[in-house]
Every structure is written in structure tokens, then in C-alpha cells.
């Protein structure tokens, strides 16, 4: 029997890893069925980078406006905690669509984050949701502390907590970089976000005046997340966010 060389062993191992990844991505991207549902517990590591929204292939008219806003808490010169105004980052991102006739039309980040943030929060138990939204502004928990508190609050599957925290951390990282680009002279001690959604004016009220259409529109619904420790990416990432903010707000 021929002896395996180190090169052959490496090629075989790399091929198996690539095949496993390809299989996982394929199962995760299939339309919902018994096979994709059975594989779901083993493909959660793909979120949030490799998930696919199947509405791409069955577009529907926009039924509601969705926005993600960021707010930071910082320590003022007198030692007290103060909060920034809410920054509507979705509005900044939409400048690409509203005011740029030429250029990229890629989906904006907050549009991709909105639904998963709500869905992952919805999979938590009631006690875990309470833990998630009642963290203190003056002393937000570390990510490991928050994970322990969520797991201790209920017997839900650990992967529900892990994926929820993955989206939370990605959103807080974006929020921190946005807030630091707006207020570079402030040191933030806590950051949070708000999910705002408002249904469009009902079809039957479409012919009214602007005031009548606005009056007929359902009220806006907000869900404000808990305070989190600031999360900062690389220097290059921070520069990109700051540059984007300057060009589009």
C-alpha cells in the first residue's frame, strides 16, 4: 500500500473541509423543507454572513418602513452619564438609493439586519428577553457575562442564544463605529439600538390629502434594545464608516 505523504494528507483534509462547507451552505440556502429544517441546528454558524432571504426571488410591494437607530451613552466632564441623540443610520444608508442616480445599488446593511434581529430576539424565552433589554447604562455586561445570564434565564437551546448574540454584537459594532464617527471626542461607556417599524398607509386611504394619508397610517412601533459595551472594529473599518457617514448624511 503506497505511503501517504504530508502533501496528500493536506489535500485530502482541505477537500473534506471544502466539501463539508459546500454541503452546509447548500442546505442552509435551500427553500424551507424537511432537509433544510433537519440541518438547521448544524448550520447556524453560517449566520449572519451566509444566509439568504428567499424574498429575493418573490418580491412583494413594500408594506412597512424599517429603520435602525443608534444611541450612545458617554461620561460628561462633570462625571455624569449623558446620552446622544438617536442616529438614524438607515436614513444615511438610503441616501445611496434616494440621491445617487449612478453607482452601486447593493442592499444596505440595516435592511439585512432588521429581520434577523427581530427573529433571533423572538426565539428567546420571556425571561431571556427581560435579561436582554434590562442591562444597565452605567455598567453594561461583557458579552460573556450576558451569555451566561441569558443561558441561566431559561432552558432554551444554546444555539438560540449564540445566534442572537452574534447579531447583537454585529449591530453594536456598527453602532459604536457610527457614533464614534459623529462624536470622535467622546468616550462611550454603553451603546444601544432601536428597531422602528411603521406600516404604510392603507390602500383605501391612498387618495386622501397628505395630512389624511399620514393620519390613516398605523403608528410606529419601536423596540429599544438593552445597553451593550462598545464594540470597535479595525482602524480601516472605522475609517470606512466615518467616510460613508460624511458623504451620505
Amino acid at each position: 500500500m503506497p505511503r501517504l505523504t504530508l502533501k496528500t494528507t493536506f489535500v485530502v483534509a482541505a477537500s473534506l473541509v471544502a466539501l463539508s462547507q459546500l454541503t452546509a451552505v447548500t442546505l442552509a440556502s435551500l427553500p424551507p423543507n424537511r432537509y433544510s429544517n433537519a440541518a438547521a441546528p448544524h448550520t447556524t454558524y453560517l449566520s449572519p454572513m451566509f444566509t439568504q432571504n428567499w424574498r429575493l426571488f418573490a418580491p412583494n410591494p413594500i408594506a412597512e418602513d424599517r429603520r435602525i437607530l443608534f444611541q450612545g451613552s458617554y461620561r460628561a466632564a462633570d462625571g455624569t452619564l449623558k446620552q446622544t441623540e438617536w442616529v438614524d443610520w438607515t436614513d444615511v444608508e438610503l441616501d445611496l438609493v434616494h440621491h445617487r442616480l449612478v453607482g452601486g445599488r447593493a442592499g444596505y446593511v440595516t435592511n439585512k439586519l432588521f429581520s434577523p434581529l427581530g427573529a433571533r430576539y423572538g426565539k428567546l424565552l420571556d425571561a431571556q428577553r427581560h435579561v436582554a433589554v434590562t442591562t444597565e447604562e452605567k455598567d453594561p455586561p461583557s458579552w460573556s457575562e450576558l451569555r451566561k445570564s441569558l443561558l441561566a434565564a431559561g432552558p432554551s437551546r444554546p444555539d438560540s442564544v449564540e445566534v442572537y448574540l452574534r447579531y447583537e454584537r454585529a449591530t453594536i459594532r456598527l453602532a459604536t463605529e457610527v457614533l464614534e464617527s459623529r462624536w470622535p471626542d467622546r468616550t462611550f461607556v454603553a451603546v444601544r439600538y432601536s428597531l422602528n417599524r411603521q406600516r404604510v398607509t392603507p390602500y383605501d386611504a391612498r387618495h386622501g390629502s397628505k395630512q389624511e394619508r399620514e393620519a390613516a397610517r398605523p403608528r410606529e412601533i419601536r423596540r429599544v434594545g438593552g445597553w451593550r459595551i462598545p464594540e470597535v472594529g479595525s482602524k480601516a473599518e472605522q475609517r470606512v464608516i466615518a467616510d460613508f457617514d460624511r458623504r451620505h448624511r
Side-chain angles (χ1 to χ4, degrees):
M1 181 176 179
R3 186 178 178 181
L4 290 177
T5 65
L6 181 60
K7 179 179 179 181
T8 302
T9 303
F10 174 78
V11 170
V12 171
S15 299
L16 290 175
V17 171
L19 180 60
S20 299
Q21 174 70 2
L22 179 61
T23 302
V25 171
T26 301
L27 289 170
S29 60
L30 286 172
N33 59 61
R34 61 178 180 175
Y35 302 109
S36 60
N37 292 338
H42 308 290
T43 58
T44 55
Y45 76 94
L46 295 170
S47 299
M49 297 299 182
F50 300 102
T51 52
Q52 170 62 61
N53 183 347
W54 277 90
R55 289 186 66 190
L56 172 67
F57 303 102
N60 296 318
I62 294 175
E64 64 181 6
D65 288 327
R66 298 178 171 186
R67 300 182 295 138
I68 299 184
L69 289 74
F70 302 139
Q71 186 180 49
S73 174
Y74 63 96
R75 199 167 295 281
D78 60 2
T80 60
L81 290 179
K82 295 187 178 296
Q83 298 175 4
T84 68
E85 61 189 66
W86 284 99
V87 176
D88 188 342
W89 189 246
T90 299
D91 188 59
V92 175
E93 290 184 331
L94 280 175
D95 182 69
L96 279 173
V97 179
H98 291 163
H99 305 124
R100 298 292 185 271
L101 298 180
V102 179
R105 287 294 182 270
Y108 46 98
V109 175
T110 51
N111 181 52
K112 295 178 180 179
L113 280 174
F114 195 100
S115 293
L117 282 171
R120 301 307 176 182
Y121 176 78
K123 287 183 178 296
L124 298 178
L125 302 175
D126 289 342
Q128 292 173 324
R129 295 177 196 170
H130 178 75
V131 169
V133 300
T134 56
T135 50
E136 293 186 7
E137 175 185 359
K138 64 180 180 181
D139 187 25
S142 67
W143 293 106
S144 60
E145 291 170 341
L146 180 58
R147 178 183 290 104
K148 290 179 183 178
S149 298
L150 290 171
L151 291 174
S156 64
R157 285 167 36 186
D159 60 308
S160 298
V161 171
E162 292 300 326
V163 178
Y164 165 75
L165 288 174
R166 197 174 302 162
Y167 277 98
E168 281 285 296
R169 198 162 186 171
T171 306
I172 293 301
R173 180 166 165 172
L174 175 60
T176 303
E177 293 171 346
V178 167
L179 292 166
E180 289 190 346
S181 73
R182 292 286 178 101
W183 295 282
D185 58 331
R186 296 176 183 174
T187 300
F188 292 99
V189 299
V191 176
R192 65 178 177 176
Y193 65 85
S194 174
L195 299 182
N196 295 18
R197 60 196 309 164
Q198 185 176 21
R199 300 283 297 180
V200 299
T201 301
Y203 184 78
D204 291 340
R206 68 191 186 283
H207 294 307
S209 65
K210 181 178 180 180
Q211 291 77 11
E212 290 171 337
R213 292 196 304 271
E214 195 60 35
R217 190 175 185 182
R219 67 179 181 84
E220 184 177 61
I221 298 174
R222 300 182 65 199
R223 180 175 74 79
V224 179
W227 291 102
R228 306 284 183 255
I229 58 172
E231 179 87 7
V232 181
S234 66
K235 294 294 184 182
E237 187 176 306
Q238 295 175 61
R239 287 195 298 269
V240 169
I241 294 295
D243 179 64
F244 186 91
D245 192 27
R246 283 193 299 269
R247 289 185 290 113
H248 296 288
R249 61 172 164 164

